[in-house]
Amino acid sequence: MTEFLAYAVERYTYWAYVALMLIGFYAMIAHGNLLKKLIGMNIFQTAIILFFLSISAKRGATLPIIPPEAGELVVAPPHFMNPLPHALMLTAIVVMVGTLGVALAVLIKIHRTYRTFEEDVILRQT
Amino acid sequence: MSEVLNALFLALLVILAGAAVRVRDLVGAVLILSAYGLTMSLVWAGMGAVDVAFTEAVVGAGASTVFFLATLLRTLPREQPRERRARPATLVGVLLLGGLLLLAIHEFPAWSDPASPASLHVSPRYLRDGYRETGAPNIVTAVLADYRAYDTLIETVVIFTAGVACWLLLPRRDP
């Protein structure tokens, strides 16, 4: 039992990612309000980005910025964080903003036609 | 960032996310989401991802909130989101997904393990040779703007497409 507890505490960050993802997923599929669905989508996306970024963390390492005086010296990789997830997730954030902008534009269009954000009211009108 | 602070911020994130989903007032939910974005950027800065944290502080806490509020101003929804009983199938689906994700936890390396597979395989090469090959001290910049320059270039096409889509979708001011 204590073994399991120590194990669970050691991986506490994963619990937070799973909780955030589930909150976002729940809002996306259970909420009837379209704006709330978008809020859920935003939470879901940031949870995935958080998971990727946590992979790049290394105990006792510093930011992946090489001091210029390092020059020709060989840089020791364990002293710097993994830069690849950072670069990938910068791209992901840009895509996140793109999808959010288009989704909100569609939402305004929907509201123009149906005068509501509620899914069931829209379905009844069609 | 110390472990304790990290854990506290993660707990705060879960609380804010739950509140943003739960709160019935839409403007309130959007503002809580903005606080969530700011907290998220702090967590990322603590994890060492400063470049991503800057972007999230600008985009997640700033631009997204402005987009949401602009949408609400344009539409002025009079009704509050209705409370709906969650259907059992929904809860089962969410819990099933959660169970699957929790099952996968023990396959992953422990938090901030320097010997995790992701840190041993490809990235040491970029850390070792990145500065010499590109002249950029920040390796994230080197990867983004040099090794993956075409990807970043085409990224602007994505933003352009999204901008054109918004422009086409948004109703004109004078019909």
Side-chain angles (χ1 to χ4, degrees), chain B residues 26-95:
Chain B
L26 287 179
V27 177
V30 167
L31 291 179
I32 292 173
L33 191 72
S34 172
Y36 168 86
L38 192 67
T39 317
M40 192 59 111
S41 81
L42 286 176
V43 171
W44 292 348
M47 285 181 174
V50 275
D51 312 75
V52 195
F54 285 146
T55 319
E56 170 68 8
V58 172
V59 158
S64 303
T65 315
V66 173
F67 287 174
F68 270 116
L69 287 180
T71 306
L72 284 175
L73 273 179
R74 272 240 175 158
T75 51
L76 296 175
R78 267 154 305 169
E79 66 216 321
Q80 298 255 317
R82 242 167 299 158
E83 281 296 323
R84 273 203 324 188
R85 284 234 129 219
R87 265 174 277 160
T90 316
L91 283 176
V92 168
V94 170
L95 291 179

Short mmCIF file of all heavy atoms in Angstrom, two decimals, chain B residues 26-95:
data_model
loop_
_atom_site.label_atom_id
_atom_site.label_comp_id
_atom_site.label_asym_id
_atom_site.label_seq_id
_atom_site.Cartn_x
_atom_site.Cartn_y
_atom_site.Cartn_z
N LEU B 26 -21.44 33.32 -18.72
CA LEU B 26 -20.46 33.09 -19.77
C LEU B 26 -19.27 34.03 -19.66
O LEU B 26 -18.12 33.63 -19.84
CB LEU B 26 -21.12 33.23 -21.15
CG LEU B 26 -22.05 32.09 -21.54
CD1 LEU B 26 -22.67 32.35 -22.89
CD2 LEU B 26 -21.29 30.78 -21.57
N VAL B 27 -19.52 35.32 -19.35
CA VAL B 27 -18.41 36.27 -19.21
C VAL B 27 -17.50 35.82 -18.06
O VAL B 27 -16.27 35.84 -18.18
CB VAL B 27 -18.94 37.70 -18.98
CG1 VAL B 27 -17.79 38.65 -18.76
CG2 VAL B 27 -19.77 38.14 -20.15
N GLY B 28 -18.12 35.38 -16.96
CA GLY B 28 -17.34 34.89 -15.83
C GLY B 28 -16.48 33.70 -16.22
O GLY B 28 -15.29 33.63 -15.87
N ALA B 29 -17.08 32.77 -16.98
CA ALA B 29 -16.33 31.59 -17.40
C ALA B 29 -15.13 31.98 -18.26
O ALA B 29 -14.03 31.43 -18.11
CB ALA B 29 -17.25 30.64 -18.17
N VAL B 30 -15.33 32.95 -19.16
CA VAL B 30 -14.24 33.38 -20.04
C VAL B 30 -13.12 34.02 -19.22
O VAL B 30 -11.93 33.77 -19.46
CB VAL B 30 -14.77 34.36 -21.10
CG1 VAL B 30 -13.64 35.05 -21.81
CG2 VAL B 30 -15.64 33.62 -22.10
N LEU B 31 -13.49 34.82 -18.21
CA LEU B 31 -12.45 35.46 -17.39
C LEU B 31 -11.70 34.44 -16.55
O LEU B 31 -10.48 34.55 -16.37
CB LEU B 31 -13.07 36.55 -16.51
CG LEU B 31 -13.57 37.76 -17.32
CD1 LEU B 31 -14.18 38.79 -16.41
CD2 LEU B 31 -12.45 38.37 -18.13
N ILE B 32 -12.41 33.43 -16.05
CA ILE B 32 -11.72 32.36 -15.31
C ILE B 32 -10.77 31.62 -16.25
O ILE B 32 -9.66 31.24 -15.87
CB ILE B 32 -12.74 31.40 -14.68
CG1 ILE B 32 -13.50 32.12 -13.57
CG2 ILE B 32 -12.04 30.19 -14.09
CD1 ILE B 32 -14.62 31.31 -13.00
N LEU B 33 -11.20 31.43 -17.50
CA LEU B 33 -10.32 30.77 -18.47
C LEU B 33 -9.06 31.59 -18.70
O LEU B 33 -7.97 31.05 -18.89
CB LEU B 33 -11.07 30.58 -19.79
CG LEU B 33 -10.36 29.67 -20.79
CD1 LEU B 33 -10.43 28.24 -20.33
CD2 LEU B 33 -10.95 29.81 -22.18
N SER B 34 -9.21 32.94 -18.66
CA SER B 34 -8.03 33.80 -18.80
C SER B 34 -7.07 33.60 -17.64
O SER B 34 -5.85 33.49 -17.83
CB SER B 34 -8.49 35.25 -18.89
OG SER B 34 -7.39 36.11 -18.84
N ALA B 35 -7.61 33.53 -16.41
CA ALA B 35 -6.77 33.26 -15.24
C ALA B 35 -6.10 31.89 -15.37
O ALA B 35 -4.92 31.72 -15.03
CB ALA B 35 -7.61 33.31 -13.97
N TYR B 36 -6.85 30.92 -15.91
CA TYR B 36 -6.30 29.58 -16.15
C TYR B 36 -5.11 29.67 -17.11
O TYR B 36 -4.06 29.05 -16.88
CB TYR B 36 -7.41 28.70 -16.72
CG TYR B 36 -6.98 27.38 -17.30
CD1 TYR B 36 -6.83 26.27 -16.48
CD2 TYR B 36 -6.75 27.26 -18.66
CE1 TYR B 36 -6.44 25.07 -17.01
CE2 TYR B 36 -6.37 26.05 -19.19
CZ TYR B 36 -6.21 24.96 -18.36
OH TYR B 36 -5.83 23.78 -18.90
N GLY B 37 -5.26 30.46 -18.18
CA GLY B 37 -4.16 30.59 -19.14
C GLY B 37 -2.93 31.21 -18.51
O GLY B 37 -1.80 30.77 -18.77
N LEU B 38 -3.13 32.22 -17.66
CA LEU B 38 -1.99 32.87 -17.01
C LEU B 38 -1.28 31.90 -16.06
O LEU B 38 -0.05 31.81 -16.06
CB LEU B 38 -2.47 34.11 -16.26
CG LEU B 38 -1.36 35.03 -15.79
CD1 LEU B 38 -0.68 35.67 -16.99
CD2 LEU B 38 -1.91 36.11 -14.89
N THR B 39 -2.08 31.14 -15.27
CA THR B 39 -1.49 30.15 -14.37
C THR B 39 -0.73 29.10 -15.17
O THR B 39 0.37 28.68 -14.78
CB THR B 39 -2.58 29.47 -13.54
OG1 THR B 39 -3.49 30.46 -13.09
CG2 THR B 39 -1.99 28.75 -12.36
N MET B 40 -1.33 28.69 -16.31
CA MET B 40 -0.67 27.70 -17.15
C MET B 40 0.68 28.21 -17.64
O MET B 40 1.67 27.48 -17.64
CB MET B 40 -1.60 27.40 -18.34
CG MET B 40 -1.21 26.21 -19.16
SD MET B 40 -1.16 24.73 -18.17
CE MET B 40 -2.52 23.82 -18.80
N SER B 41 0.74 29.50 -18.02
CA SER B 41 2.02 30.03 -18.51
C SER B 41 3.04 30.08 -17.38
O SER B 41 4.23 29.85 -17.61
CB SER B 41 1.81 31.41 -19.12
OG SER B 41 1.77 32.39 -18.13
N LEU B 42 2.59 30.32 -16.13
CA LEU B 42 3.52 30.29 -15.00
C LEU B 42 4.08 28.89 -14.80
O LEU B 42 5.28 28.71 -14.55
CB LEU B 42 2.82 30.76 -13.73
CG LEU B 42 2.54 32.26 -13.63
CD1 LEU B 42 1.76 32.56 -12.37
CD2 LEU B 42 3.84 33.03 -13.64
N VAL B 43 3.20 27.87 -14.91
CA VAL B 43 3.65 26.49 -14.74
C VAL B 43 4.69 26.16 -15.81
O VAL B 43 5.73 25.54 -15.53
CB VAL B 43 2.45 25.53 -14.83
CG1 VAL B 43 2.93 24.09 -14.89
CG2 VAL B 43 1.53 25.71 -13.66
N TRP B 44 4.44 26.60 -17.04
CA TRP B 44 5.37 26.28 -18.11
C TRP B 44 6.70 27.00 -17.91
O TRP B 44 7.76 26.44 -18.19
CB TRP B 44 4.76 26.66 -19.47
CG TRP B 44 3.61 25.78 -19.81
CD1 TRP B 44 3.26 24.63 -19.15
CD2 TRP B 44 2.65 25.96 -20.84
NE1 TRP B 44 2.14 24.10 -19.72
CE2 TRP B 44 1.74 24.88 -20.76
CE3 TRP B 44 2.45 26.93 -21.82
CZ2 TRP B 44 0.67 24.75 -21.63
CZ3 TRP B 44 1.39 26.78 -22.69
CH2 TRP B 44 0.52 25.71 -22.60
N ALA B 45 6.64 28.25 -17.43
CA ALA B 45 7.89 28.95 -17.14
C ALA B 45 8.66 28.20 -16.06
O ALA B 45 9.89 28.08 -16.13
CB ALA B 45 7.60 30.39 -16.69
N GLY B 46 7.93 27.65 -15.06
CA GLY B 46 8.59 26.87 -14.03
C GLY B 46 9.19 25.60 -14.55
O GLY B 46 10.20 25.12 -14.03
N MET B 47 8.60 25.02 -15.60
CA MET B 47 9.15 23.80 -16.19
C MET B 47 10.33 24.09 -17.12
O MET B 47 10.89 23.17 -17.71
CB MET B 47 8.06 23.07 -16.98
CG MET B 47 7.06 22.37 -16.11
SD MET B 47 5.85 21.54 -17.11
CE MET B 47 4.95 20.66 -15.83
N GLY B 48 10.66 25.36 -17.32
CA GLY B 48 11.81 25.71 -18.16
C GLY B 48 11.44 26.02 -19.58
O GLY B 48 12.32 26.29 -20.40
N ALA B 49 10.15 25.99 -19.92
CA ALA B 49 9.74 26.28 -21.30
C ALA B 49 9.40 27.76 -21.40
O ALA B 49 8.23 28.13 -21.55
CB ALA B 49 8.56 25.41 -21.69
N VAL B 50 10.40 28.63 -21.31
CA VAL B 50 10.11 30.07 -21.24
C VAL B 50 9.50 30.58 -22.53
O VAL B 50 8.59 31.43 -22.50
CB VAL B 50 11.37 30.88 -20.89
CG1 VAL B 50 11.57 30.93 -19.41
CG2 VAL B 50 12.58 30.32 -21.59
N ASP B 51 9.98 30.07 -23.67
CA ASP B 51 9.45 30.57 -24.96
C ASP B 51 7.96 30.27 -25.07
O ASP B 51 7.16 31.12 -25.46
CB ASP B 51 10.18 29.90 -26.12
CG ASP B 51 11.68 29.94 -25.93
OD1 ASP B 51 12.19 29.17 -25.11
OD2 ASP B 51 12.34 30.74 -26.59
N VAL B 52 7.59 29.03 -24.69
CA VAL B 52 6.19 28.64 -24.77
C VAL B 52 5.38 29.42 -23.74
O VAL B 52 4.24 29.80 -24.00
CB VAL B 52 6.05 27.12 -24.54
CG1 VAL B 52 4.68 26.67 -24.97
CG2 VAL B 52 7.10 26.37 -25.30
N ALA B 53 5.98 29.71 -22.57
CA ALA B 53 5.26 30.44 -21.53
C ALA B 53 4.94 31.86 -21.99
O ALA B 53 3.82 32.35 -21.79
CB ALA B 53 6.09 30.48 -20.25
N PHE B 54 5.90 32.52 -22.65
CA PHE B 54 5.63 33.86 -23.20
C PHE B 54 4.45 33.80 -24.16
O PHE B 54 3.51 34.59 -24.08
CB PHE B 54 6.83 34.37 -24.00
CG PHE B 54 7.98 34.84 -23.15
CD1 PHE B 54 9.28 34.66 -23.58
CD2 PHE B 54 7.75 35.46 -21.95
CE1 PHE B 54 10.34 35.08 -22.80
CE2 PHE B 54 8.80 35.89 -21.17
CZ PHE B 54 10.11 35.70 -21.60
N THR B 55 4.51 32.83 -25.07
CA THR B 55 3.46 32.72 -26.08
C THR B 55 2.11 32.48 -25.44
O THR B 55 1.11 33.09 -25.84
CB THR B 55 3.79 31.58 -27.06
OG1 THR B 55 5.17 31.63 -27.34
CG2 THR B 55 3.00 31.71 -28.32
N GLU B 56 2.07 31.60 -24.43
CA GLU B 56 0.79 31.31 -23.78
C GLU B 56 0.28 32.53 -23.02
O GLU B 56 -0.93 32.78 -23.00
CB GLU B 56 0.95 30.11 -22.83
CG GLU B 56 -0.24 29.85 -21.92
CD GLU B 56 -1.47 29.37 -22.65
OE1 GLU B 56 -1.38 29.10 -23.86
OE2 GLU B 56 -2.53 29.29 -22.02
N ALA B 57 1.20 33.30 -22.39
CA ALA B 57 0.75 34.48 -21.65
C ALA B 57 0.12 35.48 -22.61
O ALA B 57 -0.89 36.13 -22.29
CB ALA B 57 1.92 35.12 -20.91
N VAL B 58 0.70 35.61 -23.82
CA VAL B 58 0.14 36.55 -24.79
C VAL B 58 -1.13 36.00 -25.42
O VAL B 58 -2.15 36.68 -25.53
CB VAL B 58 1.19 36.86 -25.88
CG1 VAL B 58 0.57 37.66 -27.00
CG2 VAL B 58 2.36 37.60 -25.29
N VAL B 59 -1.06 34.72 -25.81
CA VAL B 59 -2.13 34.14 -26.62
C VAL B 59 -3.24 33.56 -25.76
O VAL B 59 -4.42 33.85 -25.95
CB VAL B 59 -1.51 33.04 -27.53
CG1 VAL B 59 -2.56 32.08 -27.98
CG2 VAL B 59 -0.83 33.67 -28.71
N GLY B 60 -2.87 32.74 -24.74
CA GLY B 60 -3.87 32.07 -23.94
C GLY B 60 -4.58 33.02 -23.00
O GLY B 60 -5.81 33.00 -22.88
N ALA B 61 -3.80 33.87 -22.30
CA ALA B 61 -4.41 34.76 -21.33
C ALA B 61 -4.88 36.05 -22.00
O ALA B 61 -5.81 36.69 -21.52
CB ALA B 61 -3.42 35.08 -20.22
N GLY B 62 -4.23 36.46 -23.10
CA GLY B 62 -4.57 37.74 -23.73
C GLY B 62 -5.49 37.60 -24.92
O GLY B 62 -6.69 37.90 -24.83
N ALA B 63 -4.94 37.09 -26.03
CA ALA B 63 -5.68 37.12 -27.29
C ALA B 63 -6.95 36.28 -27.24
O ALA B 63 -8.01 36.72 -27.68
CB ALA B 63 -4.78 36.64 -28.42
N SER B 64 -6.86 35.06 -26.66
CA SER B 64 -8.06 34.20 -26.61
C SER B 64 -9.19 34.88 -25.85
O SER B 64 -10.35 34.84 -26.27
CB SER B 64 -7.74 32.87 -25.92
OG SER B 64 -6.71 32.23 -26.55
N THR B 65 -8.82 35.53 -24.72
CA THR B 65 -9.86 36.22 -23.93
C THR B 65 -10.51 37.32 -24.74
O THR B 65 -11.73 37.49 -24.72
CB THR B 65 -9.23 36.81 -22.67
OG1 THR B 65 -8.38 35.83 -22.09
CG2 THR B 65 -10.27 37.20 -21.68
N VAL B 66 -9.67 38.08 -25.48
CA VAL B 66 -10.22 39.16 -26.31
C VAL B 66 -11.15 38.57 -27.37
O VAL B 66 -12.26 39.09 -27.61
CB VAL B 66 -9.07 39.96 -26.96
CG1 VAL B 66 -9.63 40.96 -27.95
CG2 VAL B 66 -8.28 40.67 -25.89
N PHE B 67 -10.75 37.44 -27.98
CA PHE B 67 -11.61 36.80 -28.99
C PHE B 67 -12.94 36.40 -28.37
O PHE B 67 -14.02 36.67 -28.92
CB PHE B 67 -10.93 35.54 -29.55
CG PHE B 67 -9.77 35.81 -30.47
CD1 PHE B 67 -8.99 34.77 -30.95
CD2 PHE B 67 -9.46 37.10 -30.87
CE1 PHE B 67 -7.93 35.02 -31.79
CE2 PHE B 67 -8.40 37.35 -31.70
CZ PHE B 67 -7.64 36.30 -32.16
N PHE B 68 -12.87 35.73 -27.20
CA PHE B 68 -14.10 35.27 -26.54
C PHE B 68 -15.00 36.45 -26.21
O PHE B 68 -16.21 36.42 -26.47
CB PHE B 68 -13.75 34.52 -25.25
CG PHE B 68 -13.54 33.04 -25.44
CD1 PHE B 68 -12.30 32.47 -25.20
CD2 PHE B 68 -14.59 32.23 -25.82
CE1 PHE B 68 -12.11 31.10 -25.37
CE2 PHE B 68 -14.40 30.86 -25.99
CZ PHE B 68 -13.15 30.31 -25.76
N LEU B 69 -14.39 37.51 -25.61
CA LEU B 69 -15.21 38.66 -25.20
C LEU B 69 -15.79 39.36 -26.42
O LEU B 69 -16.94 39.82 -26.38
CB LEU B 69 -14.37 39.62 -24.36
CG LEU B 69 -14.04 39.13 -22.95
CD1 LEU B 69 -13.21 40.16 -22.21
CD2 LEU B 69 -15.30 38.83 -22.16
N ALA B 70 -15.01 39.44 -27.51
CA ALA B 70 -15.53 40.07 -28.73
C ALA B 70 -16.73 39.29 -29.25
O ALA B 70 -17.74 39.87 -29.68
CB ALA B 70 -14.43 40.13 -29.78
N THR B 71 -16.65 37.95 -29.19
CA THR B 71 -17.78 37.12 -29.62
C THR B 71 -19.01 37.40 -28.75
O THR B 71 -20.13 37.56 -29.26
CB THR B 71 -17.41 35.63 -29.51
OG1 THR B 71 -16.21 35.41 -30.23
CG2 THR B 71 -18.51 34.75 -30.05
N LEU B 72 -18.78 37.47 -27.43
CA LEU B 72 -19.92 37.71 -26.53
C LEU B 72 -20.52 39.09 -26.77
O LEU B 72 -21.74 39.27 -26.71
CB LEU B 72 -19.46 37.57 -25.08
CG LEU B 72 -19.24 36.13 -24.62
CD1 LEU B 72 -18.69 36.10 -23.21
CD2 LEU B 72 -20.55 35.36 -24.67
N LEU B 73 -19.66 40.10 -27.06
CA LEU B 73 -20.17 41.44 -27.32
C LEU B 73 -20.97 41.48 -28.60
O LEU B 73 -21.96 42.19 -28.72
CB LEU B 73 -19.00 42.42 -27.42
CG LEU B 73 -18.51 43.03 -26.11
CD1 LEU B 73 -17.34 43.95 -26.37
CD2 LEU B 73 -19.64 43.79 -25.45
N ARG B 74 -20.54 40.69 -29.59
CA ARG B 74 -21.23 40.68 -30.87
C ARG B 74 -22.58 40.01 -30.78
O ARG B 74 -23.49 40.33 -31.54
CB ARG B 74 -20.38 39.91 -31.89
CG ARG B 74 -19.39 40.78 -32.61
CD ARG B 74 -19.72 40.70 -34.07
NE ARG B 74 -18.88 41.61 -34.82
CZ ARG B 74 -18.65 41.43 -36.11
NH1 ARG B 74 -19.15 40.40 -36.74
NH2 ARG B 74 -17.93 42.28 -36.77
N THR B 75 -22.68 39.00 -29.89
CA THR B 75 -23.90 38.20 -29.88
C THR B 75 -24.81 38.55 -28.71
O THR B 75 -26.02 38.38 -28.83
CB THR B 75 -23.54 36.71 -29.79
OG1 THR B 75 -22.63 36.53 -28.70
CG2 THR B 75 -22.86 36.24 -31.05
N LEU B 76 -24.24 39.05 -27.61
CA LEU B 76 -25.02 39.39 -26.41
C LEU B 76 -26.05 38.31 -26.08
O LEU B 76 -27.26 38.55 -26.17
CB LEU B 76 -25.72 40.74 -26.59
CG LEU B 76 -24.81 41.96 -26.74
CD1 LEU B 76 -25.62 43.19 -27.05
CD2 LEU B 76 -23.99 42.17 -25.49
N PRO B 77 -25.62 37.11 -25.74
CA PRO B 77 -26.59 36.05 -25.44
C PRO B 77 -27.37 36.41 -24.18
O PRO B 77 -26.79 36.75 -23.16
CB PRO B 77 -25.71 34.82 -25.22
CG PRO B 77 -24.37 35.34 -24.89
CD PRO B 77 -24.24 36.69 -25.50
N ARG B 78 -28.71 36.38 -24.28
CA ARG B 78 -29.53 36.79 -23.14
C ARG B 78 -29.71 35.66 -22.15
O ARG B 78 -29.87 35.89 -20.98
CB ARG B 78 -30.90 37.28 -23.63
CG ARG B 78 -30.93 38.79 -23.85
CD ARG B 78 -31.97 39.12 -24.87
NE ARG B 78 -31.70 38.33 -26.09
CZ ARG B 78 -32.54 38.23 -27.10
NH1 ARG B 78 -33.69 38.81 -27.04
NH2 ARG B 78 -32.22 37.52 -28.18
N GLU B 79 -29.71 34.42 -22.65
CA GLU B 79 -30.00 33.32 -21.74
C GLU B 79 -28.71 32.78 -21.13
O GLU B 79 -27.64 32.86 -21.73
CB GLU B 79 -30.71 32.19 -22.49
CG GLU B 79 -29.82 31.55 -23.52
CD GLU B 79 -30.57 31.14 -24.76
OE1 GLU B 79 -31.69 30.67 -24.61
OE2 GLU B 79 -30.03 31.30 -25.84
N GLN B 80 -28.82 32.29 -19.91
CA GLN B 80 -27.70 31.63 -19.26
C GLN B 80 -27.63 30.21 -19.78
O GLN B 80 -28.65 29.64 -20.18
CB GLN B 80 -27.94 31.60 -17.75
CG GLN B 80 -28.05 32.96 -17.14
CD GLN B 80 -26.80 33.31 -16.36
OE1 GLN B 80 -26.28 32.49 -15.65
NE2 GLN B 80 -26.32 34.50 -16.51
N PRO B 81 -26.42 29.63 -19.77
CA PRO B 81 -26.36 28.21 -20.14
C PRO B 81 -27.20 27.38 -19.18
O PRO B 81 -27.17 27.62 -17.98
CB PRO B 81 -24.88 27.86 -19.98
CG PRO B 81 -24.18 29.10 -19.69
CD PRO B 81 -25.14 30.21 -19.47
N ARG B 82 -27.98 26.47 -19.73
CA ARG B 82 -28.87 25.71 -18.87
C ARG B 82 -28.15 24.56 -18.19
O ARG B 82 -27.25 23.95 -18.77
CB ARG B 82 -30.02 25.16 -19.72
CG ARG B 82 -31.36 25.72 -19.26
CD ARG B 82 -32.41 25.44 -20.28
NE ARG B 82 -32.09 26.05 -21.56
CZ ARG B 82 -32.58 25.63 -22.70
NH1 ARG B 82 -33.37 24.59 -22.74
NH2 ARG B 82 -32.29 26.25 -23.83
N GLU B 83 -28.56 24.31 -16.95
CA GLU B 83 -28.04 23.12 -16.26
C GLU B 83 -28.67 21.90 -16.89
O GLU B 83 -29.89 21.83 -17.04
CB GLU B 83 -28.41 23.17 -14.78
CG GLU B 83 -27.54 24.07 -13.94
CD GLU B 83 -26.10 23.60 -13.88
OE1 GLU B 83 -25.86 22.39 -13.85
OE2 GLU B 83 -25.21 24.48 -13.89
N ARG B 84 -27.85 20.96 -17.29
CA ARG B 84 -28.40 19.73 -17.84
C ARG B 84 -27.85 18.57 -17.06
O ARG B 84 -26.68 18.57 -16.70
CB ARG B 84 -28.00 19.59 -19.31
CG ARG B 84 -28.92 20.26 -20.26
CD ARG B 84 -28.82 19.63 -21.62
NE ARG B 84 -27.45 19.21 -21.95
CZ ARG B 84 -27.11 18.79 -23.15
NH1 ARG B 84 -27.99 18.74 -24.11
NH2 ARG B 84 -25.87 18.41 -23.38
N ARG B 85 -28.70 17.61 -16.80
CA ARG B 85 -28.21 16.39 -16.15
C ARG B 85 -27.31 15.67 -17.14
O ARG B 85 -27.68 15.47 -18.29
CB ARG B 85 -29.39 15.50 -15.79
CG ARG B 85 -30.12 16.00 -14.60
CD ARG B 85 -30.28 14.98 -13.51
NE ARG B 85 -29.84 15.53 -12.26
CZ ARG B 85 -29.17 14.82 -11.36
NH1 ARG B 85 -28.82 13.60 -11.63
NH2 ARG B 85 -28.83 15.34 -10.21
N ALA B 86 -26.11 15.31 -16.68
CA ALA B 86 -25.23 14.56 -17.56
C ALA B 86 -25.82 13.18 -17.78
O ALA B 86 -26.26 12.52 -16.84
CB ALA B 86 -23.85 14.45 -16.94
N ARG B 87 -25.86 12.75 -19.03
CA ARG B 87 -26.37 11.43 -19.33
C ARG B 87 -25.37 10.37 -18.85
O ARG B 87 -24.16 10.62 -18.88
CB ARG B 87 -26.62 11.28 -20.83
CG ARG B 87 -28.06 11.57 -21.20
CD ARG B 87 -28.23 11.56 -22.69
NE ARG B 87 -27.85 12.83 -23.27
CZ ARG B 87 -27.53 12.99 -24.55
NH1 ARG B 87 -27.52 11.97 -25.36
NH2 ARG B 87 -27.21 14.17 -25.01
N PRO B 88 -25.87 9.21 -18.39
CA PRO B 88 -24.94 8.19 -17.88
C PRO B 88 -23.89 7.80 -18.92
O PRO B 88 -22.72 7.57 -18.58
CB PRO B 88 -25.85 7.01 -17.56
CG PRO B 88 -27.22 7.56 -17.47
CD PRO B 88 -27.27 8.79 -18.30
N ALA B 89 -24.30 7.76 -20.20
CA ALA B 89 -23.35 7.36 -21.24
C ALA B 89 -22.17 8.32 -21.29
O ALA B 89 -21.01 7.92 -21.47
CB ALA B 89 -24.06 7.32 -22.59
N THR B 90 -22.44 9.63 -21.09
CA THR B 90 -21.38 10.62 -21.10
C THR B 90 -20.37 10.35 -19.99
O THR B 90 -19.16 10.32 -20.22
CB THR B 90 -21.97 12.02 -20.90
OG1 THR B 90 -23.12 12.14 -21.69
CG2 THR B 90 -20.97 13.08 -21.23
N LEU B 91 -20.92 10.14 -18.77
CA LEU B 91 -20.04 9.91 -17.63
C LEU B 91 -19.22 8.65 -17.83
O LEU B 91 -18.01 8.62 -17.55
CB LEU B 91 -20.87 9.79 -16.35
CG LEU B 91 -21.37 11.13 -15.80
CD1 LEU B 91 -22.24 10.90 -14.59
CD2 LEU B 91 -20.18 12.01 -15.44
N VAL B 92 -19.87 7.59 -18.37
CA VAL B 92 -19.14 6.34 -18.61
C VAL B 92 -18.01 6.59 -19.60
O VAL B 92 -16.87 6.13 -19.41
CB VAL B 92 -20.10 5.25 -19.12
CG1 VAL B 92 -19.32 4.06 -19.65
CG2 VAL B 92 -21.04 4.80 -18.01
N GLY B 93 -18.30 7.36 -20.66
CA GLY B 93 -17.26 7.64 -21.65
C GLY B 93 -16.10 8.39 -21.05
O GLY B 93 -14.93 8.03 -21.26
N VAL B 94 -16.40 9.43 -20.24
CA VAL B 94 -15.33 10.23 -19.63
C VAL B 94 -14.50 9.36 -18.68
O VAL B 94 -13.26 9.39 -18.71
CB VAL B 94 -15.93 11.44 -18.88
CG1 VAL B 94 -14.88 12.13 -18.05
CG2 VAL B 94 -16.53 12.42 -19.87
N LEU B 95 -15.19 8.56 -17.85
CA LEU B 95 -14.46 7.74 -16.88
C LEU B 95 -13.64 6.67 -17.59
O LEU B 95 -12.54 6.33 -17.15
CB LEU B 95 -15.43 7.11 -15.89
CG LEU B 95 -16.08 8.13 -14.94
CD1 LEU B 95 -17.06 7.44 -14.00
CD2 LEU B 95 -15.02 8.87 -14.14
#
